[in-house]
Amino acid sequence: MAAPSTSPRGTLERSVRERVPPLLTDLYQFTMAYAYWRAGRNQEPAVFELFFRDNPFGGGFSLFAGLQDCLLFLRGFRFTEHDVEFLRSVLPPTTDPAFFQFLLGLDCSGVTLRSVPEGSVAFARVPVMEVEGPLAVVQLLETSLLCLVNYASLVCSNAARFRLAAGPKRMLLEMGLRRAQGPDGGLSASRYAHIGGFDLTSNVQAGFLFGIPVVGTMAHSYVTSFTSLEEVWPQTLVAANGAGDLVDVVSLIKSWLSRVCELLGAEPGRIHEGELAAFSSYAIAYPQNFLPVIDSYSVARSGLLNFCAVALALCQLGYRPVGVRLDSGDLCRQSVDVRRVFRLCSERFSVPAFETLTIVGTNNISEQSMTELTKKENEIDAVGVGTHLVTCTKQPSLGCVYKLVEVRGRPRMKISEDPKKSTVPGRKAVYRLLDPEGHPFLDLLCLKEEPPPKAGLPLSCYPLGGENCPAAVTPAQVICLRQEVFSKGQVTERLCSAAETRAKVQSSLQTLHPRHKRLHEPDSYTVALSEKLHNLILELQEASGNFLLAN
């Protein structure tokens, strides 16, 4: 049953309907569907598979994401009168009018979707989705499903790599909305970056739709908009416990500034008053959320001193400042200097809160700079990442494809002059084989009718990309990767929240052997065919070769 429209789930489903209507596809899907319909083939049972050919970013794995939107898309798949009228205008005028009536009656009640669980580790050439149903319908679904999976899986995988580079303890903030490829790209990036391992987002709409924790305080523009302390209004604040009269905060801050300058041997005259005014004004507005950017002018000579003065005033009134943000220069070196000053203030002024202040680093962070940051001495507690995360600058597309593998119960295979573009025919079962330590070491593709492999029993298989030489393996455990998630027009698995899928991602990644998780030069993961599936491919290739020779 669909969730009520006022619920978060109802809002999400409405969002999918609005963003991914049935017309969000390529025109040739309709021309093929029409040709099937004219030939009387539109109801033939067919099976397509969705997979990608190479692991992204030169890595050893990918993550599968976007399934939930695919399910909501299938559940709401309908053509309206307006849709059909537009199709009349773009399809050739010779198109039979009865075809448009046929489209008005289409839905996905005859479609069955089997899938790898969303948030699972996935590998190149392993089908992550199987779509079964009437030929014309499952053909029409191709582009939309690819659109929903490609970017989601790519961003999720990119985020997971950033998480691996950052380590498990450092907080990661996604802040790429302004750099994303349009509003929907930005929203999808926030969602799947969180699922891939980021803790927080700056994107308010993503917080509303997906329950991702939202954070943010101020930009440089806020700081540079102030010129003097006279612009601070109001200039008073009550103590955190609400007791006592209003306190003249500006005077209190000035007093603390003198003490901080004396402690650090700084020159008060070189401090930027406008910056101090900005910090003071913001602290009065949000005394429990004080985390300013401190590099608008000079971190060492102005920003850090101004922060300490305002933060110490807040502490005196019973509030707890949050920390600072560094956005330029050598973040590692600056963070060490900033932490040293925090500890000095904590010790000299007996303010324990200064020991736990947060230092956030943001400055065009890439996977490479994240890796370097992790290796260097630094005191950065949280890192904000934007452009390189949401635009996936190292690889702009995952390259998922959607290929026909069976029609009318007969296997179909694309036999390309480029062997890499050949497809694996037939309906399949997909199994993940684990070693005695619980690490996956091989994904096995079998024909659907084959019995599943059994733990502890040796089996013979043919690794993809090998030299047609069989390999003998013995799994300690066997996991069936496919599950039915959509049937008869209904979603058959519970839809998970972003937080739940995020937990699945981390659990799935933890099972991977470190050699497959390495960000650089990882070991290749083995994907193999069962003996029967390997023989089927040889038969189809031989039949195709004989056909070409005969003609």
Side-chain angles (χ1 to χ4, degrees):
M1 178 183 292
S5 60
T6 54
S7 70
R9 183 59 47 76
T11 301
L12 181 57
E13 184 158 10
R14 188 167 62 251
S15 171
V16 172
R17 285 200 304 269
E18 292 169 353
R19 292 183 296 119
V20 199
L23 292 188
L24 189 70
T25 189
D26 297 304
L27 183 62
Y28 78 170
Q29 308 295 2
F30 290 104
T31 59
M32 286 189 287
Y34 176 69
Y36 287 139
W37 178 81
R38 278 297 300 264
R41 300 188 59 204
N42 55 283
Q43 287 294 333
E44 288 182 1
V47 180
F48 284 79
E49 288 180 341
L50 190 151
F51 61 94
F52 54 94
R53 294 191 175 103
D54 296 292
N55 295 321
F57 310 112
F61 69 91
S62 180
L63 289 166
F64 172 52
L67 175 62
Q68 182 173 136
D69 279 359
C70 290
L71 297 175
L72 296 178
F73 165 70
L74 294 179
R75 187 159 70 183
F77 185 85
R78 300 283 192 287
F79 289 99
T80 67
E81 292 281 358
H82 292 301
D83 295 336
V84 170
E85 283 307 306
F86 179 74
L87 286 171
R88 288 181 193 272
S89 71
V90 296
L91 287 172
T94 55
T95 304
D96 188 331
F99 175 66
F100 300 107
Q101 290 302 311
F102 163 73
L103 289 179
L104 284 171
L106 282 188
D107 59 24
C108 287
S109 57
V111 173
T112 299
L113 178 65
R114 299 174 184 89
S115 170
V116 169
E118 184 160 20
S120 296
V121 168
F123 300 100
R125 303 301 299 273
V126 177
V128 292
M129 288 171 54
E130 178 195 84
V131 187
E132 177 188 7
L135 180 56
V137 177
V138 290
Q139 182 70 71
L140 285 170
L141 300 176
E142 175 182 4
T143 301
S144 301
L145 293 178
L146 286 171
C147 181
L148 289 168
V149 169
N150 256 311
Y151 184 63
S153 298
L154 186 71
V155 171
C156 192
S157 303
N158 199 25
R161 290 176 65 85
F162 271 94
R163 168 51 69 194
L164 288 171
K169 295 182 180 179
R170 185 170 280 130
M171 295 286 286
L172 292 179
L173 159 65
E174 177 275 317
M175 46 188 290
L177 179 58
R178 66 186 62 193
R179 304 288 171 78
Q181 290 94 336
D184 190 59
L187 191 61
S188 296
S190 298
R191 178 183 186 181
Y192 294 108
H194 180 63
I195 287 173
F198 275 60
D199 304 285
L200 311 162
T201 183
S202 66
N203 187 338
V204 179
Q205 180 71 356
F208 170 69
L209 283 177
F210 312 122
I212 306 170
V214 181
V215 293
T217 54
M218 69 173 70
H220 294 98
S221 57
Y222 180 84
V223 178
T224 58
S225 72
F226 287 82
T227 56
S228 76
L229 288 169
E230 294 178 358
E231 295 169 320
V232 178
W233 187 261
Q235 296 199 347
T236 56
L237 184 65
V238 71
N241 60 13
D245 298 329
L246 288 171
V247 176
D248 182 346
V249 178
V250 173
S251 296
L252 185 61
I253 289 169
K254 287 179 178 179
S255 172
W256 275 112
L257 183 59
S258 297
R259 298 172 70 182
V260 169
C261 288
E262 181 181 353
L263 172 65
L264 301 177
E267 300 178 35
R270 302 187 69 176
I271 289 171
H272 200 286
E273 185 178 335
E275 183 180 56
L276 180 61
F279 291 0
S280 303
S281 182
Y282 193 90
I284 291 169
Y286 290 107
Q288 299 282 26
N289 191 39
F290 182 53
L291 192 154
V293 58
I294 62 172
D295 68 331
S296 297
Y297 302 105
S298 167
V299 172
R301 294 193 299 269
S302 182
L304 180 56
L305 303 170
N306 284 331
F307 168 80
C308 289
V310 175
L312 287 164
L314 288 176
C315 289
Q316 183 175 336
L317 295 176
Y319 297 99
R320 291 186 65 87
V322 178
V324 298
R325 177 162 72 97
L326 301 168
D327 190 50
S328 61
D330 186 337
L331 300 183
C332 292
R333 179 186 57 77
Q334 289 184 103
S335 70
V336 171
D337 293 340
V338 167
R339 185 69 71 196
R340 179 183 60 82
V341 170
F342 287 169
R343 288 171 179 151
L344 276 174
C345 288
S346 175
E347 182 181 346
R348 176 64 63 87
F349 304 126
S350 300
V351 183
F354 263 59
E355 289 284 350
T356 57
L357 289 172
T358 297
I359 300 176
V360 180
T362 59
N363 184 18
N364 199 32
I365 303 292
S366 64
E367 180 188 303
Q368 180 179 350
S369 59
M370 181 75 81
T371 302
E372 292 171 354
L373 182 150
T374 302
K375 292 178 180 178
K376 292 180 180 179
E377 180 189 6
N378 72 86
E379 292 285 345
I380 297 173
D381 303 294
V383 179
V385 187
T387 304
H388 295 290
L389 173 64
V390 304
T391 64
C392 299
T393 47
K394 288 182 64 176
Q395 180 177 323
S397 174
L398 180 57
C400 286
V401 293
Y402 183 88
K403 298 299 181 182
L404 180 69
V405 296
E406 183 181 280
V407 176
R408 300 189 307 276
R410 298 177 182 175
R412 290 291 183 266
M413 179 181 181
K414 176 185 176 184
I415 302 174
S416 174
E417 293 183 3
D418 180 355
K420 199 170 185 179
K421 288 201 166 186
S422 296
T423 59
V424 180
R427 290 190 63 187
K428 302 174 196 68
V430 184
Y431 301 98
R432 180 156 290 168
L433 310 188
L434 278 58
D435 64 21
E437 288 73 41
H439 298 305
F441 70 91
L442 184 145
D443 280 10
L444 182 68
L445 310 184
C446 304
L447 291 172
K448 190 170 181 63
E449 61 268 19
E450 292 187 65
K454 294 184 178 179
L457 295 182
L459 61 90
S460 179
C461 60
Y462 288 79
L464 282 174
E467 299 295 328
N468 284 332
C469 297
V473 297
T474 303
Q477 299 178 59
V478 177
I479 297 174
C480 180
L481 290 182
R482 286 260 181 90
Q483 60 185 20
E484 185 177 292
V485 292
F486 186 90
S487 181
K488 299 178 182 178
Q490 296 298 319
V491 177
T492 56
E493 286 288 315
R494 186 179 72 86
L495 298 178
C496 294
S497 67
E500 290 171 321
T501 308
R502 183 175 185 270
K504 287 183 180 180
V505 164
Q506 295 309 311
S507 175
S508 187
L509 283 172
Q510 284 173 10
T511 66
L512 273 190
H513 195 283
R515 66 175 183 267
H516 295 129
K517 287 193 287 189
R518 285 200 301 260
L519 297 180
H520 303 288
E521 298 182 353
D523 285 1
S524 296
Y525 185 85
T526 303
V527 176
L529 310 176
S530 70
E531 193 167 356
K532 285 189 176 182
L533 183 52
H534 174 73
N535 291 337
L536 174 62
I537 291 174
L538 294 180
E539 291 172 13
L540 293 176
Q541 288 174 334
E542 183 179 0
S544 176
N546 291 338
F547 173 81
L548 291 172
L549 288 172
N551 289 273

